[in-house]
Amino acid sequence: MEALRKPLPTSFRITGYTSQAKALLGIIKSQFFSELLSRRPEPDEELPKPSCLPWYPEELAWQLDMHRAMIRKSVPLQKLHHFLVTETESGNISRQETVSMIPPLLLNVKPQHKVLDMCAAPGSKTAQLIEMLHADNTAVPEGFIVANDSDNKRCYLLVHQTKRLQSPSFMITNQDASHMPNIQVTQKNGQIGSLLYDRILCDVPCSGDGTLRKNIDMWTKWTPQNSNNLHSLQMRILRRGLELLEIEGRLVYSTCSLNPVENEAVIAAMLNTCEGSVKLADISDRLPGLKTEAGVKKWKIMSKQRDWYSSIDEVPEKLHTQIRQSMFPPSNIEDLHIDKCIRILPHRQNTGGFFVAVLQKTARLPWMSVKQPKPLLAAVAEDGQVGQGGEEEKDGEEGEEEKEGAGDKKERSPPLKKMRWGGYKEDPYFFLEETDVIWQPIKDFYDLDPSFPVNCLMTRCSEGKKRHLYIASPAIKDILVNNEKAQRVKVINTGVKILSRSDKKGVDCDFRLCQEGVRTLLPFMRKRRLQITDMEDVKTLLTQENPFLYRMTSLLHAQLKETTTGSLVFIYSPLESEESPSFTVEMVGWKGKVSVRSFVPKDTRMHILRLCGMDVSSIDAAFQLKLEKIEEKRKADGKYGGHEEEDETKSNEATGEDEEKMAGIEEKAFGGGDIEIGIEAKEDLDLEKMDNAVDEASYSNGAEKLEKIIDDNKLATEQS
């Protein structure tokens, strides 16, 4: 209980599938962690010690025991916070709760796997799965990921969280997980059949009692009835996941709850229902360094009236609709090896509470019968249950037989509920034909290799000018094409934007490259790719708005002179050394008649400049102003205000609410994250215009303009 009363530590991990991961790790250790470890704190200053998660591969996950008040008062923590904000937005760091990193690691996804994330939002685990799919740095892997969530609004949060990883082998759907429909795909024999997955993540909705350290409201809202109400839904989702799983496939079931009704009870009931076709995998040695507890074998159930029951025989008949037999430990629980499940307790490694079980499907499920694939629209039963297809097609009207024997009574699984459609209606996807009039100029301008999958290019409009072109992997295209007419799969988002229309006069191609899709397109480009050998060229491109060609070094200047006007890619790969590992940076740019510029978003610019060894805080005027405020407060007060409420109030008044507003502006970059850091934005001081104005000037070559903007807004702040 003492551990639950403490705030949850901040944790993050470095995106591990890019060549820049090791270089970024070196920067974190040398520039941020070294200062926290070596600096002597002020009397009222707390500096947490960063710790590497020992069970996460390659030192890519870290944890710090810090909270909002600490960040507000410390310059080193403000720098670290600013670093986390910008790197998260550029997709190179993911801020994620420690225990949330465990299920994807146990799923063990490979680039060729077909993966389903049944309850994906907000997307931190899904992002891990995408990284694993691209682990060999393949731009378009053979496998793919279908990320699903039943909440339409949370699906768009999922889009925001995952689009930074820029994968063409990824699709977001909006379906009830317990009714997840059969997705029709082209099988190896050329026939159309239902898709079965190699890996399934089943992170089901739960009561969340393991998140007491993060969600303070849980202390007053939690009741045992929450778990009892969710048990049936969790059973249905797990059952549907097992039906969609390939034989010899792996499913990870997880919750952020510690209640056995949501964990061991669900697993035990499903193992008995599957009659040996599914077994628990031993994962005790998969993550060395992770302290876990084995799954429990004994528990009781509490009713809404707060009465305890040890078996279904003790439950009054009027409560049988609330308390089911599957909630209790079965008599054969020793034979089910429930101890192979793992529990993560908050006090063991300063984390949240969590439960994980890994299930291996070894044979056909007992209620599944071998049938020929049915048309998708015909595979819906009267009770709303979607027929199970593929190699193991289920008769829609055939359910699990209720069996009674000498042992426990095996009751029917809870009936599937009717699926409801809602949310926004998405525009369909239209695939480009090789005969389309826009394709040949694009192919010639960038000299694309004949192996480029032009038929995988798509747009969201069938008529008029095509504004943007997206690319999806061949496997994702196959899903979209084969399920378009049936309309049983509601696709929210897929593909990566690689080209956007740019109607510039004097250019042979109407489409320019997009930074988010350059990594996918670059392997096929044989022209308009310029190699940068000098780091100074990178800094010039990213810190000056429209530098003249003569400002570049001689080697790059010569390449630019030979290149016609239009979009292009700059590629920079520094030489590897002991201090800095090798990495590759791709930057989309535009070559004009006498100047050149980069088309790189602000956060990505700052990331690249960090890799080049530049202190980006000096070019971010809004952040620099925030640090100056902290220093002014230190000089004026001689302290930060301590931990007492009265001193904290005085400190805030002395500093002014503009500091909090500016911090709040940067906090917007974390929308929808698993853990929140920073200060809530105030509404009475509109400094967002100042931030936008500074942003426009921060990368330009006019220092006087930048200083004037800062001075004018300082004056406006004081007057307000």
Side-chain angles (χ1 to χ4, degrees), residues 645-686:
E645 185 176 353
E646 181 180 354
D647 288 340
E648 180 69 24
T649 304
K650 292 180 180 178
S651 175
N652 288 341
E653 291 176 353
T655 306
E657 292 179 351
D658 52 340
E659 179 191 346
E660 295 194 20
K661 172 62 181 178
M662 200 165 298
I665 292 171
E666 292 191 3
E667 281 301 318
K668 292 181 180 179
F670 279 122
D674 284 340
I675 307 169
E676 190 146 331
I677 301 180
I679 307 165
E680 296 291 336
K682 301 282 184 178
E683 296 182 357
D684 55 341
L685 188 61
D686 186 13

Side-chain angles (χ1 to χ4, degrees), residues 682-702:
K682 301 282 184 178
E683 296 182 357
D684 55 341
L685 188 61
D686 186 13
L687 291 181
E688 189 166 5
K689 293 181 180 179
M690 168 187 171
D691 193 39
N692 294 336
V694 172
D695 181 36
E696 293 176 2
S698 58
Y699 294 107
S700 68
N701 201 26

Side-chain angles (χ1 to χ4, degrees), residues 3-4 6-11 49-56 61-65 97-102 105 213 284 287-293 342-354:
L4 290 175
K6 297 179 180 178
L8 193 68
T10 297
S11 53
K49 304 301 180 185
S51 59
C52 177
L53 300 181
W55 44 267
Y56 201 93
W62 293 78
Q63 181 170 288
L64 295 95
D65 194 4
E97 189 176 343
T98 300
V99 291
S100 177
M101 305 177 191
I102 297 172
L105 293 178
R213 301 181 67 182
S284 57
L287 300 177
L290 178 64
K291 296 179 181 179
T292 63
E293 301 287 337
I342 62 172
R343 290 171 154 262
I344 294 94
L345 303 182
H347 65 279
R348 295 295 302 275
Q349 282 182 304
N350 196 17
T351 64
F354 213 72

Side-chain angles (χ1 to χ4, degrees), residues 88-89 94-95 117 119-127 130 147-165 170-174 214 424 426 492-493 667-676:
T88 299
E89 194 61 27
S94 178
R95 297 179 60 253
D117 190 350
C119 310
S124 56
K125 299 181 188 68
T126 311
I130 295 175
N148 176 73
D149 202 88
S150 61
D151 190 312
N152 185 261
K153 292 181 180 179
R154 285 168 62 88
C155 283
Y156 293 98
L157 174 61
L158 183 60
V159 173
H160 174 75
Q161 292 286 77
T162 55
K163 70 178 182 179
R164 298 182 288 244
L165 296 176
F170 174 67
M171 183 172 73
I172 297 175
T173 61
N174 180 203
K214 181 176 67 173
Y424 303 102
E426 291 293 325
I492 299 296
N493 187 269
E667 281 301 318
K668 292 181 180 179
F670 279 122
D674 284 340
I675 307 169
E676 190 146 331

Side-chain angles (χ1 to χ4, degrees), residues 517-526 529 569 571 584 586:
V518 66
R519 194 175 295 161
T520 303
L521 186 61
L522 188 61
F524 302 98
M525 290 177 57
R526 296 181 295 190
R529 40 188 297 166
V569 181
I571 306 170
T584 301
E586 305 90 1

Side-chain angles (χ1 to χ4, degrees), residues 111-117 126 130 133-134 139-148 166-173 180 183-186 195 197 428-431 453 455-460 470-484 489-496 520:
Q112 72 274 15
H113 283 159
K114 303 182 290 291
V115 185
L116 170 64
D117 190 350
T126 311
I130 295 175
L133 195 71
H134 291 265
V140 185
E142 179 184 350
F144 58 86
I145 294 173
V146 176
N148 176 73
Q166 305 158 2
S167 173
S169 305
F170 174 67
M171 183 172 73
I172 297 175
T173 61
M180 196 69 192
I183 293 179
Q184 302 296 291
V185 294
T186 305
L195 171 64
Y197 300 88
Y429 290 91
F430 300 94
F431 285 91
N455 292 329
C456 291
L457 288 176
M458 57 188 183
T459 182
R460 303 302 292 267
Y470 304 83
I471 188 169
S473 70
I476 293 293
K477 178 192 175 182
D478 185 63
I479 292 175
L480 293 174
V481 171
N482 288 317
N483 295 273
E484 180 182 5
V489 183
K490 185 176 181 181
V491 179
I492 299 296
N493 187 269
T494 190
V496 176
T520 303

Side-chain angles (χ1 to χ4, degrees), residues 525-591:
M525 290 177 57
R526 296 181 295 190
K527 285 173 56 178
R528 309 198 68 80
R529 40 188 297 166
L530 278 59
Q531 195 72 37
I532 296 179
T533 57
D534 196 319
M535 187 184 298
E536 292 303 316
D537 286 331
V538 177
K539 294 180 180 179
T540 301
L541 284 169
L542 298 182
T543 58
Q544 299 184 26
E545 192 66 27
N546 288 289
F548 291 108
L549 299 182
Y550 68 81
R551 291 185 178 274
M552 303 296 142
T553 59
S554 57
L555 289 176
L556 181 58
H557 183 262
Q559 295 182 71
L560 288 168
K561 292 292 285 183
E562 297 176 358
T563 305
T564 58
T565 301
S567 187
L568 45 76
V569 181
F570 297 103
I571 306 170
Y572 173 61
S573 299
L575 298 176
E576 185 175 7
S577 64
E578 295 182 0
E579 293 77 17
S580 59
S582 63
F583 60 88
T584 301
V585 171
E586 305 90 1
M587 299 173 291
V588 169
W590 182 276
K591 192 260 181 179

